[in-house]
Amino acid sequence: MEQFICNSCGKKYDITPTIWKCECGGVLNIVKDTPKVDIAAWNNYPNSLWRYFETMPFAKDSKTWKSVTMGEGQSPLIVLDPMEPNTYVKVDYMMPTLSFKDRGAVVLMTKAKELGVSKVIADSSGNAGTAIAAYAARCNIACDIYLSDETSPKKIAQIKAHGATIKEIHGTREDIAAAAQKAVDEEKVFYASHVYNPYFYEGTKTYAYEIYEQLKGVPDALIIPAGNGTLVLGAYNGFKELFENKLIEKMPKIVAIQAANCAPLMSAYEDGLEIAEPVTNKGTLAEGIAIAAPARSRQILEAVRETNGLFIDIKEDEILSARAMLADKGFYVEVTTAANYAGYLKYKKAPDEKIIIPLCGAGIKSK
């Protein structure tokens, strides 16, 4: 029987459609060994993130994903500027719903379909909700998405187009999550959370596998946005699996980016804390990382520290300036993604340091 294990107290649970956190309040991980990475097997699968299917915790004869996939993954890795040949952008907005969240959503919804789920509930600042809504539609699963009443109208339109029911909540990102969790518990349905459900991270870890293939090795540093940590933890887990399989000789440094107006992880890192203390979101254009109380803060901080990484915080004017600079290079990104490039501009890189920056969301998603 597949099981979850609590990251805080170690209690194990059988995986069911309604389990989403430990009774102690802790977040859950999947009970599994490090997968054996068989590179030769990758070409047995389509050129999508499902290339790495055998590293994911599904039964080896499972075919469910074949009816769910929309070809997500395998996004281009491009030198950003000929003057900086060791700096690459990974264009993860070239996905079915125009954001990297498709990586996690397709794997999570494949699991939901395997479990026979008939309805899911998710909360989001926008992109994860869009991705869950799209893949729920692929699975013929009913879907409620809880969002802020201030979410970009373009993201709301995208979610509605996939047939999901939108629940607009007035309040903080944490208020929205609380409303969704209350509904999940009352309705006893599947919580398709990109924060709490660890199957989401089985999708985002493919970011690391793709980079390994595209570079034929490992970068020195990854610039990654850090709100709930879905890409930080995915990239860390993916490279750790490659490292433990002796396919790479070092872990890339994780340089995690936060908006200065909502930076609980940065504060915890600087203060040497193991868990981030909640902060007040003072308001940031980078809505995708405006997370005042990240549920997996312990794991995010561990990932950054274990790779000798660091946190960088970005001011609002730096975000807008970086967005314009990326557009000048041909990349039109949403505002949150621009924070990544702003972080890169502040990062004191070594000569010849090989760095990758994710372009997480398309510019047409922003207000």
Side-chain angles (χ1 to χ4, degrees):
M1 185 73 186
E2 294 167 311
Q3 288 189 310
F4 288 143
I5 184 168
C6 176
N7 193 64
S8 298
C9 74
K11 181 170 180 175
K12 291 181 180 177
Y13 296 86
D14 289 344
I15 294 176
T16 67
T18 54
I19 182 80
W20 63 271
K21 71 173 180 179
C22 181
E23 59 190 23
C24 81
V27 293
L28 302 174
N29 300 323
I30 301 166
V31 176
K32 60 173 187 148
D33 296 323
T34 299
K36 182 180 182 300
V37 179
D38 178 8
I39 293 175
W42 292 350
N43 286 332
N44 297 335
Y45 295 88
N47 189 32
S48 71
L49 62 75
W50 293 103
R51 228 170 127 67
Y52 316 111
F53 170 76
E54 293 184 12
T55 71
M56 299 178 192
F58 289 99
K60 291 300 169 246
D61 59 352
S62 171
K63 302 286 192 290
T64 308
W65 62 271
K66 291 186 175 182
S67 64
V68 184
T69 181
M70 290 191 278
E72 53 293 314
Q74 301 304 326
S75 59
L77 188 69
I78 298 166
V79 172
L80 180 62
D81 188 320
M83 302 301 290
E84 298 180 73
N86 290 312
T87 297
Y88 299 80
V89 288
K90 189 151 172 61
V91 193
D92 251 24
Y93 62 69
M94 289 178 69
M95 296 264 187
T97 77
L98 309 182
S99 93
F100 86 93
K101 292 283 176 43
D102 288 352
R103 290 187 184 277
V106 68
V107 175
L108 178 53
M109 290 310 300
T110 295
K111 189 61 188 177
K113 188 173 182 180
E114 277 196 357
L115 290 169
V117 167
S118 59
K119 179 180 179 179
V120 301
I121 289 175
D123 53 274
S124 168
S125 61
N127 286 338
T130 302
I132 294 293
Y135 289 103
R138 293 283 290 169
C139 296
N140 295 312
I141 293 174
C143 178
D144 289 354
I145 302 293
Y146 284 69
L147 293 167
S148 165
D149 56 3
E150 296 178 359
T151 301
S152 162
K154 294 175 182 177
K155 290 179 182 176
I156 290 174
Q158 200 178 0
I159 293 167
K160 280 183 178 173
H162 294 304
T165 300
I166 290 180
K167 308 282 189 180
E168 292 191 32
I169 305 294
H170 183 70
T172 66
R173 181 68 184 82
E174 288 63 42
D175 293 334
I176 296 154
Q181 290 161 10
K182 183 170 182 281
V184 164
D185 291 340
E186 286 175 353
E187 297 182 39
K188 295 185 169 44
V189 297
F190 186 90
Y191 186 26
S193 171
H194 61 292
V195 183
Y196 283 92
N197 197 305
Y199 275 89
F200 200 93
Y201 302 86
E202 291 294 314
T204 55
K205 80 178 185 188
T206 61
Y207 181 78
Y209 278 85
E210 288 176 24
I211 289 170
Y212 167 73
E213 277 204 273
Q214 290 168 321
L215 278 186
K216 297 179 174 58
V218 62
D220 298 304
L222 300 167
I223 308 282
I224 306 185
N228 275 311
T230 46
L231 192 55
V232 169
L233 294 176
Y236 174 74
N237 293 343
F239 277 113
K240 195 168 186 186
E241 289 175 3
L242 291 165
F243 180 77
E244 289 178 356
N245 275 272
K246 298 184 167 51
L247 292 169
I248 58 175
E249 294 180 352
K250 64 171 185 178
M251 290 287 288
K253 179 193 298 184
I254 293 176
V255 180
I257 308 304
Q258 292 229 279
N261 282 355
C262 189
L265 295 163
M266 173 95 177
S267 297
Y269 172 79
E270 289 185 332
D271 293 343
L273 302 177
E274 288 185 11
I275 299 173
E277 295 175 351
V279 298
T280 300
N281 177 8
K282 296 173 185 170
T284 175
L285 294 166
E287 61 183 6
I289 53 172
I291 308 299
R296 291 189 183 266
S297 67
R298 181 193 298 274
Q299 289 170 277
I300 299 166
L301 289 160
E302 280 175 3
V304 172
R305 287 178 174 135
E306 285 182 19
T307 60
N308 295 313
L310 70 153
F311 283 86
I312 296 175
D313 61 347
I314 306 300
K315 297 182 174 63
E316 297 301 292
D317 60 338
E318 293 172 327
I319 295 172
L320 290 175
S321 171
R323 191 182 190 212
M325 291 168 75
L326 278 174
D328 281 344
K329 296 177 187 295
F331 299 99
Y332 184 49
V333 300
E334 67 172 320
V335 180
T336 302
T337 288
N340 302 338
Y341 186 53
Y344 165 75
L345 295 173
K346 292 178 86 166
Y347 175 59
K348 295 178 175 61
K349 68 178 192 284
D352 301 325
E353 187 172 3
K354 198 170 284 183
I355 300 171
I356 295 176
I357 309 164
L359 302 185
C360 298
I364 58 171
K365 283 173 166 280
S366 292
K367 292 178 185 176

